[in-house]
Amino acid sequence: MKATQKDFARGLPRGAEKAGIFFFCGPDEAGASAAAAKVIEALPDAGERVDMAGADLRRDPALLGDEARTESLFGDKRHILVRASGDEAHDALKVLIETGDVGAGEAAPVLVVATSATDKSRTAKLLEKRPDALVAMFYPPDLMTVAASVRAMADTAGLRLGGDLAERIARAAGLDVRLAQSEVTKLALYCDADPQSPKTASIGDYDAIGAATEEDGFQPVVNAVMGGELNRVSGEVKRMRELGLNPVGLLLALERRAAQLAQITAKLGPRGSFDNLGRGEKAQLGIFWKDERDIRHQLSRWHRRKLDRLIPRLVMVHRNLLSNSQAAELLLAQDLAEIARFAAKR
């Protein structure tokens, strides 16, 4: 089965409850991850989550089937979440399907979030015609789309958003629906809101929970690192620690910028010029006027082959942060320095 980004914006696509394999791809890793979270939340018994890396499955394609058909320590249900790059999970999914077809037994639900892959990839072609699999591709959203998603999140949480608050939350989250959900959840707690007792939230309420905007939060770090500005990186890392910025949130902002640069590079092609992009095209690519100078500079630092190496690296860093939460800040600081040095190289 195939589904669209709009299908997931409305809820779960029709037939999703019958699928056991989900392949979420496209340049919007945040949207793909949010869709995976929505599927997991809708599982009748999600049970234990097992995280796997696409690189590990590429090395050992049988590993996925072994994990998917292994009971958890306490005999409970489980589901598998794979973070991959491109077609890294293709062979493992093929083995999982083939062994299932010859009677290997029921497998746990498998959800693959694949950056640098599309709905035309080998993996998508393997799955799209199967009734027990679902493929969906996600594109970076624009401001209005994320603001609409924020309003939907708020409605679910029992929040009424006044004025341009939904748009402000969307901007502060860098158009990342996962960060936006976190902000809505905090705001609902602050306002003591729930679906049975809805509350109206104001911009003053949002200011009171101390939500950092991109300008005074993640974005200066992202620009220093992606711009290869080595003289600024140490100062930004120090500021990151002083402000107590969430390492995973910062990495998500970095992932979004990398995905945005990859999308712009694909749009321009080998001979295109950033200067030739029209206002509508820039809006579609999520390029706001205040970011143009930084994005232009970063495009000169990151050609397509460098971006192809960066995106899998960010996936690996993401996995390391989640599995080493106590040392996340230190691990991220080290990786930020290495990425900045790589950006500085011509």
Side-chain angles (χ1 to χ4, degrees):
M1 296 180 288
K2 292 189 76 171
T4 67
Q5 197 163 356
K6 290 182 179 179
D7 292 331
F8 276 95
R10 291 190 290 264
L12 278 185
R14 183 182 302 176
E17 69 280 356
K18 298 178 183 177
I21 301 174
F22 301 84
F23 184 70
F24 300 131
C25 57
D28 183 22
E29 191 271 340
S33 293
K38 188 174 291 187
V39 169
I40 292 168
E41 186 178 353
L43 291 174
D45 184 5
E48 176 191 7
R49 170 174 146 180
V50 178
D51 289 289
M52 303 188 74
D56 293 335
L57 300 184
R58 184 181 58 195
R59 286 191 292 269
D60 184 1
L63 185 61
L64 178 61
D66 292 342
E67 285 290 347
R69 296 190 175 97
T70 299
E71 288 190 358
S72 71
L73 183 62
F74 299 103
D76 299 325
K77 295 285 188 179
R78 53 171 28 191
H79 62 277
I80 313 293
L81 179 61
V82 179
R83 292 196 176 274
S85 176
D87 279 318
E88 285 181 333
H90 174 273
D91 292 350
L93 289 169
K94 186 176 180 182
V95 170
L96 176 69
I97 290 169
E98 289 174 347
T99 53
D101 288 345
V102 297
E106 183 180 358
V110 174
L111 302 97
V112 180
V113 175
T115 57
S116 303
T118 72
D119 56 358
K120 302 295 189 294
S121 64
R122 292 170 62 229
T123 309
K125 295 296 183 184
L126 173 70
L127 303 173
E128 64 183 10
K129 294 183 180 179
R130 296 185 61 88
D132 59 350
L134 186 143
V135 174
M137 184 165 173
F138 295 82
Y139 298 92
D142 57 28
L143 179 61
M144 299 310 296
T145 300
V146 179
S149 296
V150 169
R151 292 188 188 94
M153 296 171 193
D155 289 342
T156 301
L159 271 180
R160 302 187 190 99
L161 300 185
D164 62 349
L165 184 52
E167 185 173 317
R168 178 170 174 178
I169 292 173
R171 283 186 183 277
L175 305 186
D176 189 312
V177 289
R178 293 166 296 184
L179 295 180
Q181 180 65 71
S182 175
E183 294 300 290
V184 170
T185 300
K186 288 191 294 183
L187 189 57
L189 287 172
Y190 177 79
C191 295
D192 195 25
D194 62 62
Q196 286 71 43
S197 179
K199 299 289 194 312
T200 298
S202 67
I203 289 178
D205 293 326
Y206 186 52
D207 289 337
I209 67 173
T213 65
E214 288 220 300
E215 285 76 15
D216 55 17
F218 301 142
Q219 206 56 44
V221 190
V222 171
N223 287 334
V225 171
M226 295 298 289
E229 300 176 47
L230 300 178
N231 59 325
R232 287 182 53 203
V233 171
S234 61
E236 289 299 336
V237 168
K238 179 181 178 182
R239 190 179 63 85
M240 174 187 80
R241 290 170 174 162
E242 290 172 347
L243 291 178
L245 296 179
N246 183 289
V248 175
L250 175 54
L251 181 60
L252 290 174
L254 200 65
E255 290 175 359
R256 288 198 65 82
R257 176 52 58 84
Q260 184 183 27
L261 294 178
Q263 188 185 23
I264 296 170
T265 299
K267 174 75 173 179
L268 294 177
R271 301 183 185 280
S273 169
F274 184 85
D275 294 328
N276 292 335
L277 289 175
R279 181 178 299 178
E281 291 174 308
K282 289 179 180 178
Q284 188 178 27
L285 292 165
I287 305 170
F288 302 118
W289 64 268
K290 63 184 177 61
D291 299 323
E292 279 197 32
R293 183 171 60 86
D294 293 312
I295 290 174
R296 185 193 302 272
H297 172 64
Q298 290 159 28
L299 283 171
S300 70
R301 294 288 181 177
W302 294 94
H303 53 67
R304 183 182 59 78
R305 289 188 300 277
K306 288 179 75 171
L307 286 168
D308 287 345
R309 293 177 61 185
L310 173 66
I311 292 174
R313 172 64 180 270
L314 292 176
V315 172
M316 181 188 71
V317 175
H318 196 134
R319 185 174 69 251
N320 290 341
L321 295 189
L322 293 177
S323 60
N324 298 280
S325 57
Q326 291 184 336
E329 190 176 85
L330 177 60
L331 291 172
L332 181 59
Q334 293 171 342
D335 281 297
L336 291 178
E338 290 186 21
I339 293 169
R341 284 195 289 270
F342 187 52
K345 294 179 180 178
R346 291 293 185 179

